[in-house]
């Protein structure tokens, strides 16, 4: 009988390396509601989680894991790739979330988790600069 590989140890190793060589980054999820009668979107919840991350050059082979819209932005030089620790996240990042790094707000275009045996070791995020100059606040407009 072979021993099972401990992916939680790999997750801890990834978190350590990202903390050692990366920088603090924020992942923000904004939830809003839309009033069809008034035509107004209102932010109802904003959740921001601080984690460790590192940016990587958006190379062709790292971008192929995302869809064609992202590939087109990559060709235009608008996409960056970040690896983000799974440790400390209270939600799974997804397309549509916001990402803050290097003093800038980025739109999350796509996320690919590295999750062997169901244990998320880290997330790879494709992001592009956001049109937002500040993060939304509860009760404010949705963007």
């Amino acid at each position: 009988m072979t021993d099972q590989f401990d992916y939680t140890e790999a997750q801890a190793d990834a978190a350590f390396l990202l903390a050692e060589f990366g920088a603090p980054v924020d992942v923000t999820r904004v939830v809003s509601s839309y009033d069809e009668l008034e035509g107004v979107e209102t932010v109802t919840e904003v959740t921001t989680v601080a984690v460790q991350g590192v940016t990587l050059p958006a190379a062709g082979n790292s971008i192929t894991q995302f869809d064609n819209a992202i590939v087109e932005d990559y060709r235009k030089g608008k996409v960056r790739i970040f690896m983000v620790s799974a440790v400390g996240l209270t939600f799974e990042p997804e397309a549509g979330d916001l990402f803050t790094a290097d003093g800038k707000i980025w739109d999350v275009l796509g996320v690919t988790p590295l999750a062997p045996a169901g244990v998320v070791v880290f997330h790879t995020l494709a992001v592009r600069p956001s049109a937002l100059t500040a993060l939304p606040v509860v009760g404010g407009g949705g963007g």
Side-chain angles (χ1 to χ4, degrees):
M1 183 171 153
T2 59
D3 291 330
Q4 292 276 340
F5 186 80
D6 184 3
Y7 288 104
T8 57
E9 186 176 323
Q11 181 188 59
D13 291 343
F16 172 80
L17 290 168
L18 288 167
E20 181 76 19
F21 299 105
V25 296
D26 293 333
V27 180
T28 301
R29 165 104 13 105
V30 178
V31 178
S32 60
S33 63
Y34 183 74
D35 183 332
E36 291 183 27
L37 294 174
E38 298 292 324
V40 176
E41 184 177 12
T42 304
V43 174
T44 57
E45 183 180 345
V46 177
T47 305
T48 299
V49 179
V51 294
Q52 293 293 318
V54 62
T55 186
L56 302 170
N61 61 345
S62 65
I63 216 69
T64 57
Q65 61 190 317
F66 299 106
D67 67 25
N68 289 337
I70 296 171
V71 172
E72 185 60 31
D73 278 346
Y74 159 71
R75 288 185 183 128
K76 294 177 182 175
K78 296 180 180 179
V79 174
R80 286 181 64 185
I81 303 295
F82 282 86
M83 291 174 62
V84 176
S85 175
V87 174
L89 284 173
T90 56
F91 58 86
E92 295 289 316
E94 60 187 37
D97 287 341
L98 298 171
F99 185 76
T100 307
D102 300 332
K104 298 176 188 169
I105 300 173
W106 306 81
D107 295 323
V108 176
L109 303 174
V111 180
T112 302
L114 175 65
V119 176
V120 179
V121 177
F122 62 83
H123 296 276
T124 302
L125 283 68
V127 301
R128 73 172 158 224
S130 177
L132 298 174
T133 56
L135 290 174
V137 295
V138 173

